[in-house]
């Protein structure tokens, strides 16, 4: 690598290290406890889009590599009230997704969950830590931002909100890209329809067919930052939702067994660290936000 490229990569990695530090500190200040990531389990997030299975045999049992820690976060709340984890996820995304500049097949989520919380409470928490993060990066990584020629603006609270249906009507199918391009501050997408998400996302009892869910969209065309919301936790509702998705209880038998013993109401979200680094550093594509990027469809070290 040329000296200039090394200087740029160093700045990105220094900023990423600061991002992890600040997010951890902010959450600890708010009484969150960091838990260890789960890498292998018989249960993982089914996701709402197709990824190739990443399964291995462990002592005669089939395990999956973690796609997200959603189920483990729900289970962890039986012991702790507020948790976060820097969770490595493996998602064997379709190879065409390398073109998006936003997808890797291995990445890290800062995944958090709060017992008894509402969607609005975790949205406010997110706004608070996001604002603190941008302030800290501007202060502590001024030199690196100069190397990257990146100017950052501290967003104002509360972030704007747009309902999924309204966004679709106004901008059509590519509404996420358009919303992202036309705004210069992060914006919430809320009230996502049931069919677009997974069975564990809580349906709004007052608006059947609509979820108590949200995405945060980065400005300047950087696209989706995070997804989250309230969760289904009642056994009967979980079963109904699995059936509604055309999935079977057998597929989720290990989770179902645990859900039967009782899960707790909660809300949370997961934010991708490489996408966050890409946004903060103003990088063209997500692979620039990692030392060892796993690009869909490619053999990567
Ligand atoms: P999801 O629950 O699927 O929305 O994932 C949560 C967050 O993880 C997303 O909002 C992204 O920030 C990040 N993420 C999801 N999939 C990928 C991927 N393939 N590569 C990089 N980041 C991802
Ligand atoms: Mg998402």
């Amino acid at each position: 690598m040329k000296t200039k490229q090394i200087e740029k990569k160093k700045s990105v990695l220094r900023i990423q290290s600061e991002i992890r530090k600040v997010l951890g500190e902010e959450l600890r200040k708010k009484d969150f406890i960091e838990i260890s990531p789960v890498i292998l389990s018989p249960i993982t997030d089914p996701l709402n889009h197709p990824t190739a299975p990443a399964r291995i045999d462990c002592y005669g049992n089939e395990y999956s590599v973690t796609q997200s820690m959603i189920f483990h976060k729900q289970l962890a709340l039986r012991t702790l009230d507020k948790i976060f984890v820097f969770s490595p996820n493996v998602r064997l995304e379709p190879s065409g997704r390398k073109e998006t500049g936003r997808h890797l097949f291995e990445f890290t989520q800062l995944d958090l969950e709060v017992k008894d919380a509402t969607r609005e409470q975790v949205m406010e928490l997110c706004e608070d830590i996001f604002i603190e993060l941008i302030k800290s990066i501007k202060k502590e990584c001024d030199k690196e931002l100069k190397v990257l020629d990146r100017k950052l603006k501290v967003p104002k609270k509360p972030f704007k909100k747009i309902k999924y249906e309204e966004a679709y009507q106004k901008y059509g199918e590519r509404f996420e890209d358009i919303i992202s391009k036309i705004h210069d501050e992060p914006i919430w997408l809320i009230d996502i329809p049931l069919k677009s998400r997974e069975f564990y996302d809580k349906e709004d009892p007052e608006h059947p067919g609509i979820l108590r869910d949200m995405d945060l969209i980065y400005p300047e065309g950087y696209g989706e930052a995070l997804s989250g919301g309230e969760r289904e936790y009642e056994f009967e509702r979980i079963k109904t939702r699995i059936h509604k998705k055309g999935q079977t209880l057998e597929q989720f038998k290990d989770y179902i067994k645990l859900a039967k013993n009782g899960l707790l109401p909660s809300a949370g979200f997961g934010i991708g660290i490489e996408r966050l680094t890409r946004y903060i550093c103003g990088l063209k594509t997500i692979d620039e936000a990692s030392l060892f990027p796993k690009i869909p469809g490619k053999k990567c070290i």
Side-chain angles (χ1 to χ4, degrees):
M1 267 202 284
K2 295 197 186 90
T3 326
K4 224 176 170 182
Q5 277 173 307
I6 293 176
E7 210 43 46
K8 194 175 163 189
K9 196 78 178 183
K10 256 191 194 169
S11 301
V12 170
L13 296 171
R14 157 95 176 83
I15 288 175
Q16 189 169 75
S17 172
E18 191 67 18
I19 291 173
R20 294 173 77 115
K21 178 180 147 225
V22 175
L23 292 176
E25 279 174 359
E26 288 303 313
L27 289 169
R28 282 196 185 83
K29 272 190 220 160
K30 296 178 190 297
D31 301 324
F32 279 76
I33 290 181
E34 181 171 9
I35 63 168
S36 297
V38 171
I39 309 288
L40 284 173
S41 173
I43 55 175
T44 194
D45 194 334
L47 302 175
N48 198 57
H49 70 274
T51 51
R55 300 198 185 108
I56 60 167
D57 179 275
C58 296
Y59 312 104
N61 294 311
E62 190 182 81
Y63 277 59
S64 291
V65 181
T66 294
Q67 298 204 107
S68 97
M69 271 182 61
I70 179 64
F71 297 146
H72 293 85
K73 288 197 304 176
Q74 282 187 298
L75 295 166
L77 294 185
R78 290 169 167 180
T79 314
L80 299 162
D81 293 346
K82 291 171 157 193
I83 53 158
F84 74 97
V85 53
F86 286 100
S87 166
N89 290 183
V90 171
R91 298 184 183 179
L92 302 182
E93 306 276 6
S95 51
R97 284 203 158 181
K98 74 168 173 293
E99 310 300 339
T100 66
R102 296 209 281 263
H103 290 88
L104 296 171
F105 68 86
E106 181 188 295
F107 63 96
T108 299
Q109 272 195 65
L110 168 65
D111 216 349
L112 63 82
E113 200 72 17
V114 184
K115 189 156 88 185
D116 291 325
T118 61
R119 172 178 69 179
E120 285 66 29
Q121 285 168 335
V122 291
M123 284 166 76
E124 194 179 354
L125 165 83
C126 176
E127 292 180 2
D128 288 337
I129 57 177
F130 194 86
I131 288 169
E132 280 315 307
L133 176 65
I134 303 295
K135 279 188 193 159
S136 289
I137 297 291
K138 280 172 77 81
K139 186 161 166 257
E140 303 299 329
C141 301
D142 181 49
K143 198 177 102 220
E144 288 76 12
L145 290 173
K146 280 205 180 96
V147 170
L148 298 166
D149 195 21
R150 179 68 170 150
K151 286 186 183 64
L152 280 176
K153 193 174 145 203
V154 181
K156 277 185 210 70
K157 223 179 118 178
F159 299 172
K160 260 201 220 161
K161 296 178 190 68
I162 184 161
K163 291 187 177 176
Y164 185 102
E165 195 47 41
E166 192 190 324
Y168 191 89
Q169 293 298 332
K170 219 166 163 180
Y171 305 113
E173 262 179 28
R174 306 212 47 170
F175 64 84
E176 187 190 299
D177 289 342
I178 298 172
I179 288 175
S180 181
K181 279 192 188 121
I182 61 177
H183 287 89
D184 64 356
E185 296 212 351
I187 175 161
W188 292 109
L189 181 74
I190 57 167
D191 293 358
I192 294 155
L194 192 136
K195 62 175 181 340
S196 315
R197 291 289 148 99
E198 295 82 7
F199 73 79
Y200 53 74
D201 292 307
K202 190 173 169 60
E203 189 172 9
D204 189 340
E206 281 160 33
H207 302 98
I210 302 291
L211 300 170
R212 296 277 301 148
D213 232 18
M214 77 288 184
D215 279 1
L216 184 69
I217 313 288
Y218 288 124
E220 302 170 62
Y222 288 96
E224 182 192 307
L226 66 82
S227 292
E230 294 173 25
R231 321 298 184 182
E232 295 287 6
Y233 62 96
E234 288 157 302
F235 184 54
E236 289 306 320
R237 290 219 31 89
I238 290 173
K239 283 201 299 189
T240 309
R241 292 289 306 282
I242 289 177
H243 286 137
K244 256 194 202 172
K245 277 222 89 79
Q247 293 162 326
T248 64
L249 300 185
E250 177 61 22
Q251 267 174 272
F252 299 107
K253 62 177 188 298
D254 294 305
Y255 174 67
I256 294 283
K257 246 189 267 164
L258 294 160
K260 205 171 183 176
N261 295 331
L263 295 173
L264 300 158
S266 68
F269 61 80
I271 181 164
I273 293 298
E274 293 80 3
R275 287 193 192 178
L276 179 56
T277 307
R278 179 184 173 221
Y279 166 68
I280 288 187
C281 296
L283 306 175
K284 202 154 175 268
T285 52
I286 193 167
D287 55 297
E288 294 177 46
S290 171
L291 251 192
F292 306 109
K294 301 291 190 299
I295 301 164
K298 283 201 171 168
K299 186 173 187 181
C300 304
I301 298 303

